[in-house]
């Protein structure tokens, strides 16, 4: 059995937003009890992260660290016909995840007790983001 | 329904190679209309990324970023049996992806408008690279 949907996430603020509950609801609505759920974002300016939910600081510090690996307005970049944040964002996208998969067990995401799913939005202008969710199972 | 096949690519040194067309052809050939396409690169010194596909210089800049982040011939490395780019290539691979999952929707890869699938060769000389594709769906 396959469930597939593309959802439009309302304007996201810059930073990491917890989307675990939203995804859990969709998994439960799919009626699939056992299987694999895949999430996919269709752009280079946001990523998917699975990280600690216990302390808000964890995800904020994680994205700060990742952002510093590809600093903005960097002189490494040759591309001048794009906005200054385009290239660092491609690099941040390349070293994080555009797609994640996790198990579905008893009709729910089988995440660890402290794992949450986050959308890391990196544009300064909040944007609507398309997220495709595909669940395969029975 | 399952479709599995291998693709083989020849690289001509460090850089990115657009493989979107070959992956799209594999999806169309599979006859699967809805599901997940899993792409797995069977190497540890090359990787897979999703990246913007409109401007080639974006990926040249990615290389520049990565070269600064992971230096060839760093004195930290013990593993240098195949040259200065050897260990750096393994690290570059770990920081990016060995596998990608792409949603399949209406018989096609459900990529964003500006997303392309790229094989990123991290070694400075030519290599043959194998990719195993598994498409699950109905």
């Amino acid at each position: 059995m396959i469930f597939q949907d593309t959802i439009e996430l309302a304007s996201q603020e810059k930073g990491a937003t917890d989307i675990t509950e939203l995804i859990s609801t969709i998994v439960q609505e799919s009626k699939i009890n056992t299987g694999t759920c895949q999430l996919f974002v269709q752009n280079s300016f946001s990523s998917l992260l699975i990280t600690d939910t216990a302390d808000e600081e964890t995800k904020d510090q994680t994205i700060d660290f990742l952002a510093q690996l590809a600093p903005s307005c960097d002189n490494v970049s040759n591309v001048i016909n794009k906005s200054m944040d385009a290239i660092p964002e491609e690099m941040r996208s390349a070293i994080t995840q555009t797609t994640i998969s996790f198990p579905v067990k008893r009709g729910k995401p089988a995440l660890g007790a402290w794992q949450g799913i986050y959308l890391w939005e990196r544009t300064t202008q909040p944007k609507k983001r398309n997220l495709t969710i595909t669940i395969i199972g029975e | 329904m399952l479709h599995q096949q291998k693709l083989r690519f020849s690289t001509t040194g460090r850089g990115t190679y657009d493989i979107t067309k070959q992956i799209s052809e594999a999806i169309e050939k599979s006859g699967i209309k809805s599901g997940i396409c899993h792409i797995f690169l069977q190497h540890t010194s090359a990787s897979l990324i999703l990246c913007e596909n409109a401007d080639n210089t974006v990926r040249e800049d990615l290389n520049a970023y990565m070269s600064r982040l992971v230096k060839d011939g760093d004195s930290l490395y013990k593993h240098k049996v195949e040259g200065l780019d050897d260990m750096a290539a393994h690290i570059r691979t770990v920081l990016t992806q060995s596998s990608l999952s792409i949603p399949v929707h209406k018989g096609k890869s459900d990529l964003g408008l500006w997303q392309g699938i790229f094989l990123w060769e991290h070694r400075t000389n030519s290599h043959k690279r194998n990719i195993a594709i598994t498409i699950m769906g109905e």
Side-chain angles (χ1 to χ4, degrees), chain A residues 14 28 30 40-41 43 50 55 79 89 109-110 115 134 138:
Chain A
K14 202 176 172 186
Q28 286 173 54
S30 78
F40 184 84
V41 285
N43 69 87
I50 291 183
D55 184 351
V79 177
E89 291 310 339
Q115 281 180 318
T134 307
E138 55 192 30

Side-chain angles (χ1 to χ4, degrees), chain A residues 23-116:
Chain A
I23 301 303
S24 281
T25 306
I26 296 169
V27 170
Q28 286 173 54
E29 283 170 2
S30 78
K31 308 282 184 214
I32 291 173
N33 275 309
T34 308
T36 300
C37 175
Q38 182 221 37
L39 307 180
F40 184 84
V41 285
Q42 294 179 327
N43 69 87
S44 299
F45 289 79
S46 58
S47 304
L48 295 162
L49 304 177
I50 291 183
T51 187
D52 178 52
T53 53
D55 184 351
E56 289 273 304
E57 289 288 309
T58 308
K59 53 126 172 130
D60 292 337
Q61 287 176 13
T62 302
I63 62 173
D64 284 350
F65 175 84
L66 291 166
Q68 281 169 21
L69 292 179
S72 298
C73 301
D74 197 289
N75 59 9
V76 165
S77 171
N78 298 315
V79 177
I80 51 171
N81 60 341
K82 288 184 172 287
S83 59
M84 287 303 283
D85 61 350
I87 304 305
E89 291 310 339
E90 294 291 345
M91 183 66 181
R92 289 166 187 169
S93 177
I95 59 173
T96 53
Q97 314 295 326
T98 304
T99 170
I100 58 171
S101 303
F102 53 85
V104 174
K105 192 176 167 187
R106 294 189 189 127
K108 291 181 181 168
L111 299 172
W114 306 110
Q115 281 180 318

Side-chain angles (χ1 to χ4, degrees), chain B residues 24-72:
Chain B
S24 297
E25 282 169 1
I27 291 172
E28 281 168 36
K29 188 173 139 192
S30 76
I32 290 170
K33 300 295 174 204
S34 176
I36 295 174
C37 174
H38 184 257
I39 311 160
F40 183 79
L41 182 72
Q42 297 175 314
H43 306 274
T44 61
S45 57
S47 56
L48 297 168
I49 56 164
L50 285 158
C51 184
E52 96 110 81
N53 56 9
D55 185 346
N56 288 338
T57 54
V58 168
R59 293 183 313 281
E60 288 171 26
D61 285 345
L62 276 192
N63 254 317
Y65 260 103
M66 194 58 110
S67 297
R68 185 181 59 185
L69 189 60
V70 184
K71 292 194 170 49
D72 285 337

Side-chain angles (χ1 to χ4, degrees), chain B:
Chain B
M1 196 165 139
L2 271 179
H3 172 87
Q4 205 162 45
Q5 73 174 86
K6 277 210 176 158
L7 290 175
R8 194 166 163 84
F9 296 91
S10 297
T11 64
T12 52
R14 187 171 278 177
T16 52
Y17 300 81
D18 192 342
I19 59 167
T20 317
K21 187 166 167 272
Q22 288 87 340
I23 303 298
S24 297
E25 282 169 1
I27 291 172
E28 281 168 36
K29 188 173 139 192
S30 76
I32 290 170
K33 300 295 174 204
S34 176
I36 295 174
C37 174
H38 184 257
I39 311 160
F40 183 79
L41 182 72
Q42 297 175 314
H43 306 274
T44 61
S45 57
S47 56
L48 297 168
I49 56 164
L50 285 158
C51 184
E52 96 110 81
N53 56 9
D55 185 346
N56 288 338
T57 54
V58 168
R59 293 183 313 281
E60 288 171 26
D61 285 345
L62 276 192
N63 254 317
Y65 260 103
M66 194 58 110
S67 297
R68 185 181 59 185
L69 189 60
V70 184
K71 292 194 170 49
D72 285 337
D74 194 308
S75 58
L76 196 67
Y77 308 151
K78 292 176 187 161
H79 176 81
K80 45 196 164 189
V81 63
E82 290 176 39
L84 295 177
D85 63 327
D86 187 355
M87 190 60 216
H90 294 305
I91 296 170
R92 291 164 71 116
T93 300
V94 171
L95 286 176
T96 50
Q97 318 296 326
S98 294
S99 72
L100 293 175
S101 297
I102 313 288
V104 176
H105 182 65
K106 293 185 180 161
K108 296 196 166 143
S109 58
D110 195 25
L111 297 171
L113 185 60
W114 304 110
Q115 278 180 320
I117 306 165
F118 297 88
L119 165 62
W120 197 347
E121 176 59 70
H122 298 304
R123 296 302 308 274
T124 52
N125 51 2
S126 306
H127 283 272
K128 297 265 190 274
R129 300 303 193 182
N130 294 318
I131 290 180
I133 300 177
T134 307
I135 307 166
M136 292 158 280
E138 54 193 30

